[in-house]
Amino acid sequence: MRANITLYAKWTAQSNIAYKVEHYQQSVTGTTYTLTVTDNLVGTTGETVSVTPRTYTGFTENTTHPDRVPSGTVLADGSLVLKFYYDRNTHTVSFNSNGGSAVSPITGVRYGATIGVPIPPTRTGYDFDGWYKEAAHTNPWNFSTDTITADITLYAKWDPKSYTVTFNSNGGGTPNPY
């Protein structure tokens, strides 16, 4: 007579199972995000993994993004993908018109963005000579290429108007201006 035997399988979780962590950064304009870095990691099947988000200059992690996946269970097929989203910090550009008419600040400028040229200020007796990065007027701001990386104040540079005075002596001698 033969006895029935029940055999039991013993399972061992696989280690070195691949999973990914994707890091997305907000675009300079609009609402899109761009994949900037993918970390390829390994774990053990069934293990719950959590990953610390990266730190990027000019960005803050968006912890409420609907597609954010900060942790998950390592799957045997390697399909786990964790996702982090980073929003660009916003800044204010102020304008010191140095005695000219007021120029309104530009607020909410995203890190890394360029700004448009504001309407130039006016000042009686002076010609506007551009916006500069510092009060000493050493480095002009290039609106096509310079980007915003922090709150900043731009400074107006002024050149005194010059006038040419001519004397008409109405047939007399050359007038002496002194």
Side-chain angles (χ1 to χ4, degrees), residues 95 97 101-104 106 116-122 128 131 143 158:
F95 298 92
S97 62
S101 58
V103 175
S104 297
I106 302 172
V117 180
I119 295 172
T122 58
F128 178 67
W131 293 106
F143 287 90
W158 298 100

Short mmCIF file of all heavy atoms in Angstrom, two decimals, residues 95 97 101-104 106 116-122 128 131 143 158:
data_model
loop_
_atom_site.label_atom_id
_atom_site.label_comp_id
_atom_site.label_asym_id
_atom_site.label_seq_id
_atom_site.Cartn_x
_atom_site.Cartn_y
_atom_site.Cartn_z
N PHE A 95 13.19 96.33 -11.16
CA PHE A 95 13.90 97.30 -11.98
C PHE A 95 14.12 98.58 -11.18
O PHE A 95 13.16 99.17 -10.69
CB PHE A 95 13.11 97.60 -13.26
CG PHE A 95 12.92 96.39 -14.13
CD1 PHE A 95 11.79 95.59 -13.99
CD2 PHE A 95 13.88 96.05 -15.06
CE1 PHE A 95 11.62 94.47 -14.78
CE2 PHE A 95 13.72 94.91 -15.86
CZ PHE A 95 12.58 94.12 -15.72
N SER A 97 15.07 102.15 -11.69
CA SER A 97 15.17 103.07 -12.83
C SER A 97 16.09 104.26 -12.55
O SER A 97 16.24 105.13 -13.42
CB SER A 97 13.79 103.54 -13.27
OG SER A 97 13.17 104.26 -12.23
N SER A 101 11.29 106.98 -14.79
CA SER A 101 9.92 106.53 -14.50
C SER A 101 9.94 105.09 -14.00
O SER A 101 10.85 104.31 -14.32
CB SER A 101 9.06 106.66 -15.75
OG SER A 101 9.60 105.89 -16.81
N ALA A 102 8.95 104.74 -13.20
CA ALA A 102 8.89 103.41 -12.59
C ALA A 102 8.64 102.33 -13.65
O ALA A 102 7.92 102.55 -14.62
CB ALA A 102 7.78 103.38 -11.54
N VAL A 103 9.26 101.18 -13.42
CA VAL A 103 9.04 100.00 -14.27
C VAL A 103 8.57 98.89 -13.33
O VAL A 103 9.23 98.59 -12.34
CB VAL A 103 10.34 99.60 -15.00
CG1 VAL A 103 10.13 98.31 -15.78
CG2 VAL A 103 10.80 100.71 -15.93
N SER A 104 7.44 98.29 -13.65
CA SER A 104 6.86 97.26 -12.79
C SER A 104 7.73 96.00 -12.78
O SER A 104 8.30 95.62 -13.80
CB SER A 104 5.46 96.88 -13.28
OG SER A 104 4.61 97.98 -13.20
N ILE A 106 8.67 92.00 -12.72
CA ILE A 106 8.14 90.80 -13.38
C ILE A 106 8.20 89.69 -12.34
O ILE A 106 9.28 89.37 -11.83
CB ILE A 106 8.98 90.42 -14.63
CG1 ILE A 106 9.01 91.58 -15.63
CG2 ILE A 106 8.42 89.16 -15.27
CD1 ILE A 106 9.97 91.35 -16.79
N GLY A 116 11.36 89.07 -21.24
CA GLY A 116 11.21 90.03 -22.32
C GLY A 116 11.70 91.41 -21.90
O GLY A 116 11.81 91.71 -20.71
N VAL A 117 11.99 92.22 -22.87
CA VAL A 117 12.46 93.58 -22.61
C VAL A 117 11.27 94.42 -22.14
O VAL A 117 10.27 94.53 -22.85
CB VAL A 117 13.08 94.20 -23.88
CG1 VAL A 117 13.57 95.61 -23.60
CG2 VAL A 117 14.19 93.33 -24.42
N PRO A 118 11.38 95.03 -20.96
CA PRO A 118 10.27 95.89 -20.52
C PRO A 118 10.28 97.22 -21.28
O PRO A 118 11.28 97.58 -21.92
CB PRO A 118 10.58 96.12 -19.03
CG PRO A 118 12.07 95.99 -18.95
CD PRO A 118 12.46 94.96 -19.99
N ILE A 119 9.17 97.93 -21.19
CA ILE A 119 9.12 99.26 -21.80
C ILE A 119 10.16 100.12 -21.07
O ILE A 119 10.17 100.17 -19.84
CB ILE A 119 7.71 99.87 -21.67
CG1 ILE A 119 6.72 99.03 -22.48
CG2 ILE A 119 7.70 101.32 -22.11
CD1 ILE A 119 5.28 99.43 -22.28
N PRO A 120 11.04 100.77 -21.81
CA PRO A 120 12.10 101.54 -21.15
C PRO A 120 11.54 102.70 -20.33
O PRO A 120 10.54 103.31 -20.73
CB PRO A 120 12.96 102.06 -22.30
CG PRO A 120 12.40 101.52 -23.55
CD PRO A 120 11.13 100.83 -23.26
N PRO A 121 12.20 103.02 -19.23
CA PRO A 121 11.77 104.18 -18.46
C PRO A 121 12.18 105.46 -19.18
O PRO A 121 12.97 105.43 -20.12
CB PRO A 121 12.55 104.02 -17.14
CG PRO A 121 13.77 103.25 -17.53
CD PRO A 121 13.35 102.34 -18.65
N THR A 122 11.65 106.56 -18.71
CA THR A 122 12.03 107.87 -19.26
C THR A 122 12.54 108.74 -18.12
O THR A 122 12.19 108.55 -16.95
CB THR A 122 10.83 108.55 -19.94
OG1 THR A 122 9.77 108.69 -18.99
CG2 THR A 122 10.35 107.76 -21.14
N PHE A 128 18.03 106.87 -22.18
CA PHE A 128 18.13 105.55 -21.55
C PHE A 128 19.19 104.74 -22.29
O PHE A 128 19.18 104.65 -23.51
CB PHE A 128 16.77 104.86 -21.59
CG PHE A 128 16.77 103.47 -21.02
CD1 PHE A 128 16.99 103.25 -19.67
CD2 PHE A 128 16.55 102.37 -21.84
CE1 PHE A 128 16.98 101.97 -19.13
CE2 PHE A 128 16.54 101.08 -21.32
CZ PHE A 128 16.75 100.88 -19.97
N TRP A 131 19.68 98.25 -19.42
CA TRP A 131 19.59 97.65 -18.10
C TRP A 131 20.89 96.92 -17.78
O TRP A 131 21.45 96.23 -18.63
CB TRP A 131 18.42 96.68 -18.02
CG TRP A 131 17.09 97.36 -18.14
CD1 TRP A 131 16.25 97.35 -19.22
CD2 TRP A 131 16.45 98.15 -17.14
NE1 TRP A 131 15.13 98.09 -18.95
CE2 TRP A 131 15.22 98.60 -17.67
CE3 TRP A 131 16.79 98.54 -15.85
CZ2 TRP A 131 14.34 99.40 -16.97
CZ3 TRP A 131 15.91 99.35 -15.14
CH2 TRP A 131 14.70 99.77 -15.71
N PHE A 143 18.88 90.40 -22.82
CA PHE A 143 17.54 89.82 -22.72
C PHE A 143 17.38 88.57 -23.59
O PHE A 143 16.48 87.77 -23.36
CB PHE A 143 16.48 90.86 -23.07
CG PHE A 143 16.30 91.89 -21.98
CD1 PHE A 143 17.05 93.05 -21.97
CD2 PHE A 143 15.40 91.68 -20.96
CE1 PHE A 143 16.90 94.00 -20.97
CE2 PHE A 143 15.24 92.61 -19.94
CZ PHE A 143 15.99 93.77 -19.95
N TRP A 158 21.79 105.76 -17.52
CA TRP A 158 21.37 106.98 -18.21
C TRP A 158 22.58 107.73 -18.74
O TRP A 158 23.61 107.81 -18.09
CB TRP A 158 20.60 107.88 -17.25
CG TRP A 158 19.35 107.26 -16.73
CD1 TRP A 158 19.18 106.67 -15.52
CD2 TRP A 158 18.11 107.14 -17.41
NE1 TRP A 158 17.89 106.20 -15.39
CE2 TRP A 158 17.21 106.48 -16.55
CE3 TRP A 158 17.66 107.53 -18.67
CZ2 TRP A 158 15.90 106.19 -16.90
CZ3 TRP A 158 16.35 107.24 -19.01
CH2 TRP A 158 15.48 106.59 -18.14
#
